Amino acid sequence: MSKILRVVGASASAVALAVGATGCGGDSLEKSGGGDSSGKPGKGSLVIGTASFAESKILAELYAGLLEHAGYSTSIKTVDTRELYEPALEKGQMDVVPEYAATLAEFLNQKKNGPNAEPVASSDVDDTVKALKKLAEPRGLKVLDAGKAVDQNAFAVSGKFAKEHDLKTLSDLGKSGQKVKLAAGDECPKRPFCQPGLEKRYGIDIVGIDPLDIGSVQAKQAVKDGKDQMVLTTTTDATLDQFGLVLLDDDKNLQNADNVLPVVNAKSAGSSKIENALNKLGRVLTTADLTELNKKVDAERLKPADVAADYLKEKGLVK
């Protein structure tokens, strides 16, 4: 599941569970964390859920390291889509999941109020988290502190193109008057955070959409080769430099606040001890840090567990 679909594309349909575990986990949601067939974890044992893309796996491993340092045993379960892991979190089949503030707020908003619900997320992280908590708490979920790291939609151009036209921000691109073919998903023309927003808020002259998979190798290569002028990706994309691409700053805050934060099952993992352990990460982990961790996994092919363990030690979060 592309993490960019969190904001730009429609939610992925529920698909089969991709079971993958690290640590002492079992082989299904119903047999995890040392619990019984109900899925309830044993005392002192926590199940951490993760989506199937690298960044989510890294965050899950970071959470596991912090929780183990706090005295818990942990297992990690990988699930393809939010449509599967969010209900599992509500039911207590999972205890902790790394999430993104704006995306989860809109997911729960539409779950409660329908697909055409008035948006509750915005570029203001405090307001977005407040709205998220209001939606999450009735479902038995506890939203912990939003961290510094932000993984939200972003737009990149080639370094050469940026230098030629003196571009550092999306506003600069709009003022330049350059015609832009955008490598993005085929839903971009309909999404307020994509073509309509770029045109209305920034005055960017988008002359066409190249319907390539969002943030894919093919999309980035198209911009590198000059076939397209800009690509839709994310703020934590770790492979941009491999294609000679640079991000343009969203200086007018078109994108919603997708700060990384932990969400827990309030009954099984809502204690202050767990909250304090997990909130340590959010105070340290930056967007640049998360991008670098992604790079180690996506580009250097290191294991998420090893990357996470090294980071926690480096930052003094565990001994």
Side-chain angles (χ1 to χ4, degrees):
M1 178 180 68
S2 169
K3 55 183 178 290
I4 307 168
L5 291 179
R6 290 184 288 105
V7 177
V8 176
S11 298
S13 60
V15 295
L17 212 163
V19 179
T22 62
C24 59
D27 59 359
S28 73
L29 281 176
E30 289 72 28
K31 297 178 182 178
S32 56
D36 56 26
S37 61
S38 68
K40 184 177 180 180
K43 185 177 180 180
S45 178
L46 298 168
V47 180
I48 303 169
T50 170
S52 57
F53 57 91
E55 180 174 291
S56 187
K57 292 180 179 180
I58 294 167
L59 290 167
E61 293 287 358
L62 289 167
Y63 290 177
L66 289 168
L67 291 169
E68 287 169 6
H69 184 66
Y72 297 91
S73 63
T74 66
S75 61
I76 295 177
K77 293 296 178 181
T78 303
V79 181
D80 277 350
T81 70
R82 185 174 283 105
E83 286 81 355
L84 287 171
Y85 69 70
E86 189 278 330
L89 185 63
E90 287 187 26
K91 295 173 183 176
Q93 294 173 336
M94 293 179 175
D95 302 294
V96 184
V97 172
E99 264 293 0
Y100 304 88
T103 297
L104 183 59
E106 292 304 345
F107 177 85
L108 295 179
N109 182 31
Q110 292 181 22
K111 191 171 181 178
K112 177 183 178 182
N113 300 310
N116 298 317
E118 188 71 21
V120 297
S122 70
S123 60
D124 186 300
V125 63
D126 291 334
D127 287 348
T128 299
V129 171
K130 183 178 179 180
L132 171 56
K133 288 182 176 180
K134 186 176 180 180
L135 289 161
E137 287 171 2
R139 295 182 174 276
L141 304 180
K142 184 176 182 180
V143 178
L144 306 189
D145 293 350
K148 296 178 182 179
V150 182
D151 179 1
Q152 61 195 29
N153 292 339
F155 296 91
V157 297
S158 70
K160 180 181 178 183
F161 185 78
K163 186 175 182 179
E164 285 177 353
H165 303 289
D166 195 22
L167 307 178
K168 293 183 179 179
T169 68
L170 289 170
S171 288
D172 291 339
L173 180 56
K175 292 174 184 176
S176 75
Q178 292 298 307
K179 296 185 181 300
V180 174
K181 188 174 182 182
L182 176 61
D186 56 11
E187 292 187 337
C188 181
K190 305 174 184 177
R191 298 292 172 177
F193 306 107
C194 202
Q195 182 175 352
L198 292 172
E199 292 174 335
K200 184 177 181 180
R201 188 164 301 189
Y202 288 109
I204 296 173
D205 186 6
I206 297 178
V207 295
I209 300 295
D210 193 355
L212 298 171
D213 288 342
I214 300 168
S216 64
V217 170
Q218 292 81 3
K220 294 171 194 173
Q221 189 67 44
V223 176
K224 179 182 179 180
D225 294 342
K227 176 186 174 185
D228 301 332
Q229 286 69 51
M230 189 161 68
V231 60
L232 170 60
T233 182
T234 68
T235 51
T236 60
D237 189 327
T239 63
L240 292 177
D241 57 351
Q242 295 179 20
F243 297 88
L245 306 184
V246 295
L247 291 177
L248 296 182
D249 183 46
D250 179 21
D251 54 307
K252 292 185 178 180
N253 298 318
L254 175 63
Q255 305 303 324
N256 283 340
D258 251 334
N259 295 63
V260 175
L261 44 68
V263 180
V264 305
N265 179 285
K267 186 175 181 180
S268 66
S271 70
S272 59
K273 184 178 180 181
I274 290 174
E275 181 175 0
N276 291 337
L278 293 174
N279 280 342
K280 289 179 182 178
L281 180 66
R283 293 191 289 268
V284 175
L285 184 71
T286 65
T287 304
D289 288 347
L290 188 52
T291 303
E292 184 61 26
L293 295 178
N294 285 339
K295 183 177 181 179
K296 290 180 178 180
V297 173
D298 288 335
E300 299 175 23
R301 301 302 179 189
L302 300 179
K303 295 180 180 180
D306 294 338
V307 168
D310 289 345
Y311 181 82
L312 293 176
K313 292 176 184 176
E314 176 190 337
K315 297 298 181 179
L317 295 174
V318 301
K319 295 180 180 179

